[in-house]
Amino acid sequence: MEDKISVNTEKWWKSAVVYQIYPRSFADSNQDGIGDLQGIISRLDYLEHLGIDAIWLSPVCRSPQDDNGYDISDYQDIDPMFGTLKDMEELIEEAGKRHIRIIMDLVLNHSSDEHPWFQEAKKSRENPYHDYYVWRDGAAGEFPNDMRAAFGGSAWEWVPGVEQYYFHQFSVKQPDLNWENPKLRQEIYDMINFWIEKGVGGFRLDVIDQIAKDPDRRITCNGPRLHEFLQELSRETFQKADLVTVGEAWGATPELAKLYSNPDGSELSMVFQFEHICLDQMAGKEKWDLAPLPFGKLKEVFGRWQTQLYGKGWNSLFWNNHDLPRIVSRWGNDKAYRVESAKMLAILLHGMQGTPYIYQGEELGMTNVRYEMEEYQDIETLNVYQERLKKGYAKEEIMCSIHAKSRDNARTPMQWDGGENAGFTAGIPWIRVNSNYREINAAAQLEDEDSVFQCYRTLICLRKEYPVFVEGEFQMLLEEDETIFAYTRTDQDSQLLVICNFYDKTVNVPLEEQAFAGKLLISNYKDVERKMVLRPYEARMYWMGNRP
Ligand code: NOJ
């Protein structure tokens, strides 16, 4: 039986635009070189001006920072590096005054090994916290199996005191939590409810598809009890308030996404899935094994997600986050056409159905960085460098992958102005500022009506003004075309038409009639003629209908 199509817009997050902040790199208020909560508060006016509705804050809880906060040692306190609980309350309140909600990052797959739970757990097998983690018997040097951790090495670590291995999908300092244990689950719910009471607007759930693991069967992703756990989690916490919840799910397919984001609200609001963003790597290999972007496949993937979730789930729309390289360097052109291609990528994405996420600096067209190896800070980058050297890769080849894909590309300090350290800090930044900050910075773009910033601002305004952005049904056009990404979004009384030239060659596009029947809402070139000849990276968005 065909499922009922139910397009509904009563949820605030369906017309919202989210801005992601990586706190350590956003704004430093106390000049210790690391961004902090007061720094964010000082920049809220900028974000209000941009027009966003919510901030997704990467983790700010107490943490030894082995993985920059994705290793939490106290879920109910703020790391002193970022401020205090009082600062967090002030952030929630100050953001609220500007109609901006705060989305916290929940890291529920693992804790830090310095969390009191783990400190207890490793004391003895009888300790009540022992079963909060995933343990297997074995002998020193003989791993329970050959599973590997995402940041390299075995996924098992020996603890002599209990003569057992614990399981960790990420670093050795990020032991996996055991979701099979109902007591652990209850502690997690209590902690989430603590934050709900503090007034947060929602949660982003780190690698949520990996919580229901079964390492004996080598299952980490989409484990058998995953959706059962998510439904219980949602019932015990999220459903108590009007929140947005977004699950990071590398293993999601559109079928699974319909479960996660079921319009009945039984799990989450939406998933953050990566199918489109993993296309430029060799099939079956790691992200470091670079391959050109297969453009046809990109269109196919976006089209499939747009169509299959229509009325049955909800998409996140993104090019960037704190784990991904900068999109303008990756699939745009950060040299001759930086501004044009950054805007094209924004227009292409923001016309689609779903909730757009803007990662700090994306609205300025910030680019990748090319550090010397000694300057990289990210645990994943440092590990892959050593691992590949050992495997015999040439240094140049490794550096080429790192320049293209290191997570530090996204983590360079926010470029606020052309002054010292780009206005990020008056101290010594924890990671070097990208040297192009005099050319690319917020202060300059606020003054320039043709800037990338203004393009993002306009796109956010358009989403608020035209309901078709939220509700319209997606249809891909010119499916076989090898340079043009074009689609429509249609509702009862209007249609949006988006046409983007993804490359640097000028091309004719056979969509004159359709385009010129409407009005031009936005484009990335100033002088748009009544001709469907698209210049390098040219993007246009047309609208036709009776309102507004
Ligand atoms: C996904 C996060 O986005 C990433 O930054 C982190 O390293 C891993 N999960 C582990 O928490």
Side-chain angles (χ1 to χ4, degrees):
M1 205 177 75
E2 187 55 52
D3 291 356
K4 212 172 105 225
I5 301 274
S6 61
V7 179
N8 84 60
T9 51
E10 81 269 17
K11 296 286 185 199
W12 63 268
W13 40 263
K14 289 196 169 177
S15 55
V17 176
V18 179
Y19 186 89
Q20 186 193 351
I21 289 183
Y22 197 64
R24 56 163 55 228
S25 302
F26 191 64
D28 177 19
S29 74
N30 62 356
Q31 322 311 346
D32 64 354
I34 301 170
D36 46 47
L37 294 179
Q38 285 299 333
I40 298 172
I41 294 171
S42 74
R43 298 293 183 175
L44 285 172
D45 290 342
Y46 167 85
L47 297 175
E48 185 184 21
H49 182 59
L50 178 58
I52 53 112
D53 304 276
I55 294 171
W56 152 21
L57 208 57
S58 277
V60 288
C61 289
R62 209 176 261 272
S63 157
Q65 304 288 325
D66 183 53
D67 184 18
N68 289 0
Y70 285 90
D71 49 316
I72 293 178
S73 55
D74 185 344
Y75 288 91
Q76 287 176 222
D77 200 6
I78 299 297
D79 196 285
M81 152 194 307
F82 296 126
T84 62
L85 211 47
K86 211 169 142 282
D87 292 326
M88 187 64 188
E89 287 162 358
E90 189 181 329
L91 173 62
I92 295 169
E93 194 186 324
E94 286 300 317
K97 285 183 193 160
R98 295 162 177 85
H99 309 287
I100 296 173
R101 308 184 204 221
I102 300 294
I103 300 173
M104 284 193 81
D105 210 322
L106 282 178
V107 187
L108 306 178
N109 174 68
H110 46 268
S111 72
S112 161
D113 65 337
E114 296 182 33
H115 193 292
W117 295 338
F118 191 74
Q119 293 296 312
E120 287 297 312
K122 67 178 190 183
K123 284 186 181 158
S124 77
R125 297 186 187 196
E126 289 70 43
N127 190 289
Y129 292 96
H130 187 72
D131 190 47
Y132 276 30
Y133 295 87
V134 181
W135 300 91
R136 290 295 179 268
D137 295 341
E142 270 175 52
F143 299 121
N145 62 29
D146 62 359
M147 289 176 80
R148 310 282 296 166
F151 297 153
S154 169
W156 299 100
E157 183 72 9
W158 179 247
V159 177
V162 289
E163 302 217 308
Q164 279 183 316
Y165 285 91
Y166 69 85
F167 185 59
H168 62 93
Q169 298 188 58
F170 294 90
S171 93
V172 68
K173 286 184 67 59
Q174 294 167 299
D176 270 52
L177 289 163
N178 177 19
W179 274 72
E180 298 290 332
N181 182 329
K183 273 211 205 122
L184 165 84
R185 300 207 298 274
Q186 190 56 51
E187 296 230 33
I188 287 177
Y189 306 152
D190 294 345
M191 174 274 286
I192 295 173
N193 288 327
F194 163 87
W195 287 111
I196 293 176
E197 274 165 33
K198 292 242 170 275
V200 300
F203 299 96
R204 175 260 186 187
L205 295 98
D206 189 64
V207 290
I208 198 64
D209 56 352
Q210 293 176 217
I211 60 170
K213 48 234 144 195
D214 180 352
D216 301 323
R217 293 197 288 154
R218 292 164 192 283
I219 296 175
T220 50
C221 212
N222 299 321
R225 298 188 68 191
L226 175 62
H227 293 278
E228 174 197 331
F229 290 154
L230 280 173
Q231 284 162 22
E232 183 184 276
L233 166 67
S234 175
R235 257 194 328 270
E236 296 292 328
T237 59
F238 309 143
Q239 289 173 30
K240 298 182 180 183
D242 180 20
L243 303 172
V244 62
T245 49
V246 49
E248 184 194 26
W250 289 80
T253 58
E255 273 316 304
L256 291 171
K258 287 184 218 167
L259 292 178
Y260 286 108
S261 63
N262 192 325
D264 71 4
S266 55
E267 295 192 12
L268 306 174
S269 315
M270 65 190 97
V271 283
F272 204 87
Q273 60 77 27
F274 296 82
E275 193 175 349
H276 64 292
I277 214 72
C278 291
L279 291 173
D280 57 357
Q281 70 189 51
M282 291 181 198
K285 294 283 191 78
E286 297 181 337
K287 73 177 192 183
W288 311 105
D289 300 302
L290 310 179
L293 172 70
F295 182 60
K297 184 80 186 152
L298 180 75
K299 287 166 63 163
E300 185 273 318
V301 171
F302 267 127
R304 178 155 41 79
W305 278 88
Q306 286 288 300
T307 312
Q308 295 197 9
L309 258 57
Y310 181 68
K312 296 178 182 164
W314 196 252
N315 282 299
S316 306
L317 304 171
F318 70 94
W319 290 124
N320 279 106
N321 74 7
H322 62 291
D323 295 329
L324 301 170
R326 295 281 180 182
I327 197 62
V328 69
S329 302
R330 189 179 189 179
W331 295 346
N333 178 326
D334 65 6
K335 309 254 161 7
Y337 297 105
R338 187 186 64 82
V339 171
E340 290 82 357
S341 65
K343 291 179 182 174
M344 179 278 287
L345 289 159
I347 293 170
L348 188 160
L349 193 76
H350 282 240
M352 285 197 257
Q353 186 172 46
T355 301
Y357 287 72
I358 301 170
Y359 178 71
Q360 64 184 46
E362 178 186 336
E363 78 282 14
L364 306 175
M366 274 177 63
T367 67
N368 279 354
V369 73
R370 290 173 72 84
Y371 287 146
E372 296 300 324
M373 194 55 216
E374 300 67 54
E375 296 178 287
Y376 285 97
Q377 306 283 337
D378 169 36
I379 181 172
E380 183 192 52
T381 307
L382 302 184
N383 288 355
V384 78
Y385 181 74
Q386 293 304 336
E387 205 169 81
R388 291 206 160 194
L389 271 186
K390 269 194 217 123
K391 285 186 182 157
Y393 285 76
K395 190 172 170 206
E396 297 66 45
E397 190 183 347
I398 307 175
M399 289 315 292
C400 181
S401 300
I402 287 177
H403 286 152
K405 293 280 181 77
S406 169
R407 306 196 296 182
D408 281 341
N409 282 309
R411 300 175 182 187
T412 62
M414 178 73 176
Q415 292 167 206
W416 291 109
D417 57 44
E420 201 191 348
N421 295 322
F424 163 69
T425 181
I428 301 167
W430 71 275
I431 192 166
R432 184 165 65 77
V433 176
N434 193 320
S435 50
N436 60 19
Y437 69 92
R438 287 195 188 82
E439 181 206 342
I440 306 171
N441 65 68
Q445 297 200 23
L446 286 168
E447 303 282 294
D448 172 5
E449 61 176 27
D450 292 323
S451 63
V452 180
F453 178 90
Q454 303 298 353
C455 172
Y456 272 87
R457 190 163 175 257
T458 306
L459 285 167
I460 296 171
C461 284
L462 290 171
R463 176 167 289 267
K464 310 280 172 220
E465 203 179 323
Y466 292 84
V468 67
F469 275 83
V470 182
E471 297 172 30
E473 189 170 2
F474 179 94
Q475 196 193 350
M476 188 69 84
L477 304 178
L478 310 179
E479 257 165 275
E480 305 301 319
D481 196 290
E482 288 170 10
T483 46
I484 296 295
F485 195 120
Y487 60 88
T488 52
R489 299 279 313 285
T490 311
D491 66 11
Q492 278 150 349
D493 46 18
S494 66
Q495 186 173 68
L496 202 63
L497 168 63
V498 179
I499 311 171
C500 299
N501 179 0
F502 210 83
Y503 293 98
D504 62 0
K505 301 272 171 311
T506 299
V507 283
N508 283 305
V509 186
L511 290 171
E512 287 90 356
E513 214 179 306
Q514 224 170 321
F516 300 142
K519 77 168 180 180
L520 186 67
L521 290 185
I522 186 170
S523 76
N524 58 348
Y525 276 78
K526 262 202 233 158
D527 47 340
V528 176
E529 287 177 31
R530 252 184 109 76
K531 274 198 308 199
M532 255 309 145
V533 181
L534 262 57
R535 290 158 284 186
Y537 301 101
E538 184 162 354
R540 301 183 192 178
M541 187 182 272
Y542 293 91
W543 180 85
M544 58 226 77
N546 304 320
R547 64 186 168 103

